[in-house]
Amino acid sequence: MPAPTRKVLGRLSLPERTFVADALRTETVGGVLLLLAAVTALIWTNVPALHDSYESVSHYHLGPEALGLDLSIAHWAADGLLAVFFFVAGIELKRELVAGDLKDPRAAALPVVAALCGMAVPALVYTLTNVTGGGSLAGWAVPTATDIAFALAVLAVIGTSLPSALRAFLLTLAVVDDLFAILIIAVFFTADLDFAALGGAAAGLGVFWLLLRKGVRGWYVYVPLALVIWTLMYNSGVHATIAGVAMGLMLRCTRHDDEEHSPGEQIEHLVRPLSAGLAVPLFALFSAGVSVSGGALGDVFTRPETLGVVLGLVVGKALGIFGGTWLTARFTRASLSDDLEWADVFAVATLAGIGFTVSLLIGELAFDGDQALTDEVKAAVLTGSLIAAALATVLLKLRNAKYRRLYEAEERDEDLSGIPDIYEEDDPAYHLRMAAIYDRKAAEHRRIAELKTAERLAEVTGGAGDEDGRRA
């Protein structure tokens, strides 16, 4: 008997659907705040009367100099607040590896290959653009990351009812993106190493892991330890956000029999609003403040470094993710879900070209020391992300009527059990509940029919006859 054909981007399991819905709900709110922060930064920077105050605030230094932490506000946002963002990303990745879609190697192949292709092709596009144009290759990693919060904010603004399978695919892509982005930062953007500080950070992570294994509880234990680990990691020369993702990966994300939620899920539920609602928007506020003018925007399309970023985000991301998905389906003999078409995959791949938060961070690291080029690359990230968002909006809107029907089918709960009907179709109790509902409806319709029949007969009987005694 031949093995059943595996479906690509098919219906999620109920637990996975619930988790994805909760995660995306928070990220969507955070994405709207991210958009507001970015717009605020652009206004703050480009209004002449406000420009100097933006520079003063973002370059204001505070922190203990003895610990090597006398940093500017913008530096604190990039190295400190983004550690919280990567901590959540680490938990997400750990959960996906042990309890989510990445647990099954066959299911994991699709988002992993798609994400890798979605990072490799933009890097290749950037490299080719700068090799032919004589630009710097230092920014090859800038267009490789997807910003899930920004992408979800776009979905919220345009009002598309994207099916849960495509939303989960986008979320998983971004999680894998974050992992490889942090590896790129660790390997390619690490300054001279301080091995003593690095050893201290490693020892701190060892203590963190041991406490978790022993079941020690209490934020008053872990928060001070996390601050020590972050400080040592920062002073080691390795980007401090590595500490965040490392601690996130150490949390247990599998449930014991007596647990409703694993420790990782509980902590993620607590920290994700802080990450999405505060850390990432504040980073955007102090990173997206670039001068925008007609000439500056024109330069984005003429300078090889900035053109490479725009093409990498808009063209490279779409081709890489779509190509990786198609090749995975082709060589694993999987078929696309009956509810979707390849045009839907391409639209989501285009949406993944929104590379805001991590792209801005990598841009700062890649061109550190050249503030003018750093600002131009930031403008290129904003431009490329906006173009990708506009293209994705058009493509998704063309299919929105179909998405709305799929979404309504996913949400339908006629038996009012709290579980969508499509997840109960194999449960006899569901069909008994539906039979009882239809029996009640049928009885009500029979009662109404009998009542209307009686009323009609009464009207006919009461109004019978005319002046000569004949029936009406």
Side-chain angles (χ1 to χ4, degrees), residues 37-68:
V39 171
T40 300
L42 290 172
I43 294 173
W44 196 356
T45 304
N46 288 278
V47 173
L50 301 175
H51 178 79
D52 289 343
S53 65
Y54 180 85
E55 293 294 320
S56 298
V57 173
S58 61
H59 292 105
Y60 180 80
H61 279 243
L62 72 160
E65 188 173 356
L67 297 178

Side-chain angles (χ1 to χ4, degrees), residues 152-196:
L152 291 173
V154 171
L155 290 178
V157 170
I158 66 177
T160 184
S161 303
L162 202 63
S164 58
L166 287 177
R167 288 177 182 266
F169 179 58
L170 184 62
L171 177 62
T172 307
L173 277 176
V175 170
V176 178
D177 254 9
D178 290 339
L179 170 67
F180 286 102
I182 205 70
L183 291 176
I184 288 172
I185 290 172
V187 174
F188 296 99
F189 299 105
T190 294
D192 296 333
L193 288 176
D194 182 330
F195 287 100

Side-chain angles (χ1 to χ4, degrees), residues 45-320:
T45 304
N46 288 278
V47 173
L50 301 175
H51 178 79
D52 289 343
S53 65
Y54 180 85
E55 293 294 320
S56 298
V57 173
S58 61
H59 292 105
Y60 180 80
H61 279 243
L62 72 160
E65 188 173 356
L67 297 178
L69 298 178
D70 182 22
L71 310 178
S72 67
I73 297 292
H75 204 162
W76 274 112
D79 285 54
L81 292 177
L82 278 196
V84 179
F85 167 79
F86 279 108
F87 175 69
V88 173
I91 300 175
E92 287 178 339
L93 180 63
K94 178 67 172 290
R95 186 203 161 275
E96 289 290 334
L97 289 170
V98 301
D101 286 348
L102 301 185
K103 181 180 180 180
D104 180 0
R106 293 180 303 171
L110 175 67
V112 170
V113 172
L116 287 174
C117 292
M119 299 183 81
V121 176
L124 180 61
V125 168
Y126 177 93
T127 301
L128 291 176
T129 303
N130 281 271
V131 166
T132 56
S136 170
L137 299 181
W140 64 271
V142 174
T144 60
T146 294
D147 194 304
I148 184 65
F150 206 149
L152 291 173
V154 171
L155 290 178
V157 170
I158 66 177
T160 184
S161 303
L162 202 63
S164 58
L166 287 177
R167 288 177 182 266
F169 179 58
L170 184 62
L171 177 62
T172 307
L173 277 176
V175 170
V176 178
D177 254 9
D178 290 339
L179 170 67
F180 286 102
I182 205 70
L183 291 176
I184 288 172
I185 290 172
V187 174
F188 296 99
F189 299 105
T190 294
D192 296 333
L193 288 176
D194 182 330
F195 287 100
L198 184 60
L205 289 171
V207 173
F208 189 88
W209 177 82
L210 185 61
L211 292 174
L212 291 173
R213 283 292 296 255
K214 295 294 185 181
V216 176
R217 296 177 178 269
W219 65 267
Y220 47 83
V221 174
Y222 291 101
V223 171
L225 179 58
L227 292 175
V228 170
I229 294 170
W230 179 88
T231 300
L232 290 168
M233 189 70 74
Y234 175 82
N235 283 286
S236 72
V238 177
H239 200 270
T241 52
I242 304 293
V245 76
M247 286 184 279
L249 287 170
M250 289 182 180
L251 292 174
R252 175 168 62 82
C253 292
T254 53
R255 301 176 189 177
H256 291 163
D257 292 339
D258 59 342
E259 292 179 333
E260 184 177 356
H261 300 287
S262 68
E265 290 172 326
Q266 291 176 340
I267 293 173
E268 181 185 17
H269 181 73
L270 292 173
V271 180
R272 184 188 288 276
L274 176 64
S275 169
L278 181 66
V280 174
L282 281 178
F283 168 76
L285 181 63
F286 292 108
S287 293
V290 294
S291 297
V292 177
S293 64
L297 292 177
D299 291 342
V300 165
F301 297 97
T302 57
R303 183 160 185 161
E305 293 89 350
T306 51
L307 180 61
V309 170
V310 173
L311 292 178
L313 289 172
V314 177
V315 178
K317 271 290 183 182
L319 293 180

